[in-house]
Amino acid sequence: MQRVIPRVELKYSYLAEGNDRKIRENETSAEELKSQIAAATDARSTIEAQISIIQDELGRSESYRSNINFNILDRGEIRQIKELQDKIGEIDLDSMAKARKEFNIKYKDKMEEEKAVADKVHRGYVRPLGCRVYCLTR
């Protein structure tokens, strides 16, 4: 005797088999996606490490660049200092001192006279040249 399977059971078994197949397919897809995520995470870690290395190198290069700029400025200033020292070295201080001393001796009387006139102008005894306002005399 053959057993007759009702249509409902056939339909259920067909649906159950279809659902099981879909579940297996989804599980396979999920496993593939997990492995792709793991690979992407590893690649991301590698890229982040490379970015970190590049940022460190960039920081060092900026430091080198600023040091080079400071060295260039220092060299320019050192060159200017040397030029000024050479100019100062060319000046004969002894001859300048001697000339100043001779000037003071030669024109001592004139300098004292100039000082006396300046004192009188300052005190108001003498009207300065070009002054249009009359000063009071004492």
Side-chain angles (χ1 to χ4, degrees), residues 72-86:
I72 289 170
L73 291 174
D74 287 346
R75 288 178 185 170
E77 291 171 354
I78 289 170
R79 185 175 52 250
Q80 289 176 347
I81 289 170
K82 181 161 177 22
E83 289 171 1
L84 288 174
Q85 286 174 337
D86 291 343

Side-chain angles (χ1 to χ4, degrees), residues 72-127:
I72 289 170
L73 291 174
D74 287 346
R75 288 178 185 170
E77 291 171 354
I78 289 170
R79 185 175 52 250
Q80 289 176 347
I81 289 170
K82 181 161 177 22
E83 289 171 1
L84 288 174
Q85 286 174 337
D86 291 343
K87 287 181 182 178
I88 291 171
E90 292 172 2
I91 298 173
D92 186 8
L93 295 178
D94 291 335
S95 66
M96 287 178 67
K98 182 180 174 186
R100 180 66 182 175
K101 189 175 182 180
E102 289 173 1
F103 177 85
N104 288 342
I105 291 170
K106 185 175 181 180
Y107 295 104
K108 180 179 181 183
D109 295 335
K110 295 290 182 185
M111 289 190 317
E112 287 176 1
E113 184 181 332
E114 181 183 355
K115 183 179 177 189
V117 171
D119 286 343
K120 286 180 184 178
V121 169
H122 179 68
R123 292 183 183 165
Y125 295 128
V126 176
R127 183 173 60 128

Side-chain angles (χ1 to χ4, degrees), residues 21-73:
R21 184 175 39 83
K22 286 183 182 180
I23 289 173
R24 284 191 302 273
E25 288 174 1
N26 287 340
E27 286 176 349
T28 305
S29 295
E31 290 299 320
E32 289 175 4
L33 289 175
K34 284 180 184 178
S35 65
Q36 289 175 359
I37 289 171
T41 302
D42 291 342
R44 178 178 173 219
S45 298
T46 303
I47 291 170
E48 286 176 345
Q50 289 175 345
I51 288 172
S52 177
I53 291 168
I54 290 170
Q55 286 176 336
D56 290 343
E57 289 176 1
L58 183 62
R60 281 194 300 271
S61 69
E62 286 295 322
S63 174
Y64 292 146
R65 181 175 163 217
S66 65
N67 285 341
I68 289 169
N69 286 336
F70 284 129
N71 286 341
I72 289 170
L73 291 174

Side-chain angles (χ1 to χ4, degrees), residues 5-18:
I5 301 174
R7 281 187 169 236
V8 175
E9 282 185 35
L10 285 175
K11 188 174 184 183
Y12 174 74
S13 66
Y14 176 77
L15 289 175
E17 183 181 320

